[in-house]
Amino acid sequence: MLRDTIKTETITAMKAGNKERTAALRLIGAKIKDRDIELRTSDKKPEDDDLVIDVLLKMAKQRRESIQMYEDGGRQELADKEKAELAVIEEFLPKQMSEEETRASIETIKAETGATGLKDMGRVMAELKARHGASLDMSRASGLVKESLQ
């Protein structure tokens, strides 16, 4: 399980004295625990690996946005710190689909659903998320779907 892998990697990083990696892994662990606490009262709990991947995807998205803001603001040292955290987060995410693979999947789904225009974008996006959720950057896919349906 992904949660156990993250715990093991945290211990390994601590033993190796790698402070930056340890800090990033502890941050991941804390976010996962926060999500567990949020879901205690919920009736529907996702599978454990799905929950962890969802947390990691959100963390990665936050890091990318922060990197962009720091670079725009001329704060390269903070951008570099965020990039290091992003690298650790991405180690545990499934391999992301390339642009070509994404385009091919969009075309397949368009053909299967009979999507022809922008009014069908929601249907195509829902099917993309259902099939490739964790291995697909949905914000980038959204642009590709829009381009394809125009």
Side-chain angles (χ1 to χ4, degrees), residues 6-131:
I6 292 169
K7 286 179 184 175
T8 305
E9 287 294 319
T10 304
I11 293 168
T12 304
M14 285 170 36
K15 287 181 179 177
N18 188 340
K19 291 180 182 178
E20 292 82 17
R21 182 171 173 79
T22 302
L25 288 165
R26 283 183 172 163
L27 188 62
I28 292 169
K31 289 290 185 185
I32 293 169
K33 283 183 183 175
D34 287 347
R35 181 61 67 85
D36 287 342
I37 292 168
E38 277 177 33
L39 294 175
R40 273 190 195 153
T41 57
S42 175
D43 294 334
K44 291 172 46 179
K45 291 185 181 178
E47 290 292 319
D48 193 57
D49 277 355
D50 292 343
L51 180 139
V52 172
I53 288 172
D54 186 49
V55 169
L56 291 172
L57 286 171
K58 286 181 180 170
M59 289 179 74
K61 181 180 179 191
Q62 290 170 340
R63 296 304 173 288
R64 287 186 194 102
E65 290 170 357
S66 296
I67 290 167
Q68 185 63 43
M69 287 191 312
Y70 287 142
E71 287 177 343
D72 291 347
R75 299 293 308 267
Q76 193 57 45
E77 69 282 357
L78 293 173
D80 291 342
K81 182 177 182 282
E82 294 288 322
K83 285 178 185 177
E85 286 180 8
L86 179 61
V88 173
I89 292 166
E90 287 178 338
E91 286 178 33
F92 301 102
L93 286 172
K95 180 185 172 292
Q96 296 292 298
M97 292 174 63
S98 70
E99 187 172 330
E100 296 79 32
E101 293 169 326
T102 304
R103 286 183 190 276
S105 183
I106 290 169
E107 293 306 318
T108 302
I109 291 170
K110 270 177 49 181
E112 290 174 5
T113 61
T116 55
L118 285 177
K119 67 183 185 326
D120 300 317
M121 185 168 172
R123 228 178 4 179
V124 174
M125 288 298 294
E127 189 62 30
L128 261 178
K129 185 170 179 123
R131 291 185 190 183

